[in-house]
């Protein structure tokens, strides 16, 4: 299963062929139905639909279709109806228009805050026709499937790019982790030598104040405590484990964004701990470089479904 980004856009239009009637679940031949879907990143699925009044009853159908295929993201679905041919506009009945104007004046006299009729509403009420309402359920379902498939394809393409970038950052983090491993024994040995040199100096300055064996044991104990304090083997092991899990999820695909986000937090925690244990500029540099890479990963993981 591919990795999906939460960012995408798709649209589709359906022009109704001539010769169909409302009983065949299609629209008037002079009208065109359009549908577009936009999505951006969000912690959860935040779905909003903008539909004209004629399609408002189909909102549950659209909501069901979207939630079946999209799990996360701020998704906006917009549908519209437009005339396919301006010459096919209906003729207006002047008497009905006058009647509508009179009714509007009466309503606004009683309710001054009432809004005026729109042109679309005037056209709808003044055509003088009594045709049965058009059934858009079939066309809008077809358009929704078409748009969702295109949206998922766009999100999958973007998700592939994000996954490639994350694989690259994982590889770079592994390299940095391996660079830190041989530094700790080297630092421990250097510090042990320093402790022993200080012990010898102390023995020369204070002869007879302490037994050589006791002073040497004290120096070795200090060196051991230092080694324990700067040991980052546990952090490196956990970091490698988190990187393994990230790569496994990227190969698995699907709904992995939340789990990746959690693993990024864990990576950042290990990099912080490694930096706090740093006893050399080289280890500090490795920790900083790790944090930069992890922050880049965090920004991209926010866009994965």
């Amino acid at each position: 299963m591919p990795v999906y980004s939460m960012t995408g856009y798709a649209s589709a239009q359906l022009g109704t062929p001539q010769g169909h009637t409302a009983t065949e679940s299609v629209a008037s031949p002079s009208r065109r139905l359009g549908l577009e879907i936009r999505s951006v990143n969000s912690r959860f699925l935040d779905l909003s639909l903008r539909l004209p009044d004629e399609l408002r009853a189909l909102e549950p159908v659209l909501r069901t279709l979207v939630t079946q295929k999209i799990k996360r993201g701020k998704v906006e679905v917009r549908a519209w109806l437009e005339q396919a041919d301006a010459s096919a506009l209906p003729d207006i009945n002047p008497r009905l228009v006058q009647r509508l104007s009179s009714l509007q004046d009466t309503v606004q006299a009683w309710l001054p805050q009432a809004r005026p009729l729109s042109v679309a509403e005037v056209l709808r009420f003044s055509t003088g026709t009594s045709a049965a309402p058009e059934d858009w359920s079939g066309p809008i379902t077809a358009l929704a499937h078409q748009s969702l498939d295109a949206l998922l394809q766009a999100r999958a393409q973007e998700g592939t790019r994000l996954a490639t970038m994350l694989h690259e950052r994982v590889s770079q983090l592994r390299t940095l982790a391996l660079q830190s491993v041989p530094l700790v024994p080297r630092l421990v040995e250097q510090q042990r030598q320093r402790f022993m040199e200080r012990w010898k100096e102390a023995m020369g300055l204070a002869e007879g104040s302490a037994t050589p064996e006791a002073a040497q044991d004290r120096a070795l104990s200090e060196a051991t405590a230092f080694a324990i304090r700067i040991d980052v083997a546990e952090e490196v092991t956990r970091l490698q484990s988190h990187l393994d899990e990230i790569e496994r999820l990227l190969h698995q695909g699907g709904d992995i964004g939340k789990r990746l986000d959690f693993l990024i937090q864990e990576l950042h925690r290990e990099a912080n701990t490694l930096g706090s244990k740093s006893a050399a500029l080289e280890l500090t540099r490795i920790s900083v470089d790790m944090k930069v890479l992890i922050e880049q990963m965090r920004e991209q993981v926010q866009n994965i479904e």
Side-chain angles (χ1 to χ4, degrees), residues 113-144:
Q113 71 276 16
R115 65 175 180 82
L117 289 170
S118 66
V119 174
E121 290 168 334
V122 172
L123 288 174
R124 188 165 70 249
F125 291 127
S126 63
T127 54
T129 62
S130 58
E134 297 167 338
D135 184 359
W136 293 98
S137 58
I140 203 169
T141 300
L143 277 189

Side-chain angles (χ1 to χ4, degrees), residues 5 28-29 41 44-45 64 71 74 78 81 101 154 182 201-202 208 243 273 282:
S5 167
S28 167
N41 61 320
F44 307 100
L45 178 59
T64 299
K71 304 304 179 184
K74 182 177 176 60
R78 187 175 75 89
L81 291 167
S101 178
E201 292 176 1
L243 294 177
T273 305
E282 195 169 355

Side-chain angles (χ1 to χ4, degrees), residues 135-179:
D135 184 359
W136 293 98
S137 58
I140 203 169
T141 300
L143 277 189
H145 282 294
Q146 181 180 345
S147 299
L148 283 170
D149 289 342
L151 178 69
L152 290 178
Q153 182 177 359
R155 285 166 59 127
Q157 291 175 349
E158 177 66 12
T160 299
R161 186 189 68 81
L162 294 177
T164 300
M165 189 280 293
L166 290 175
H167 279 300
E168 293 173 354
R169 300 300 184 272
V170 166
S171 178
Q172 293 171 0
L173 285 171
R174 290 190 189 279
T175 300
L176 289 172
L178 291 176
Q179 290 175 1

Side-chain angles (χ1 to χ4, degrees), residues 253-275:
D255 183 14
I256 61 174
K258 291 183 179 179
R259 282 175 287 180
L260 285 176
D261 188 53
F262 172 76
L263 288 169
I264 293 298
Q265 295 178 33
E266 294 301 307
L267 285 178
H268 198 273
R269 181 178 293 109
E270 302 305 333
N272 271 335
T273 305
L274 190 146

Side-chain angles (χ1 to χ4, degrees), residues 88-104:
L89 289 173
D91 294 329
I92 296 178
N93 188 323
R95 294 181 61 186
L96 288 177
V97 174
Q98 293 176 355
R99 178 62 176 159
L100 284 173
S101 178
S102 176
L103 289 173
Q104 177 177 264

Side-chain angles (χ1 to χ4, degrees), residues 56-73:
R56 187 68 62 187
L58 299 175
E59 180 173 332
V61 175
L62 288 174
R63 189 174 294 275
T64 299
L65 291 175
V66 172
T67 54
Q68 285 176 347
K69 295 191 174 184
I70 297 178
K71 304 304 179 184
R72 287 181 68 202

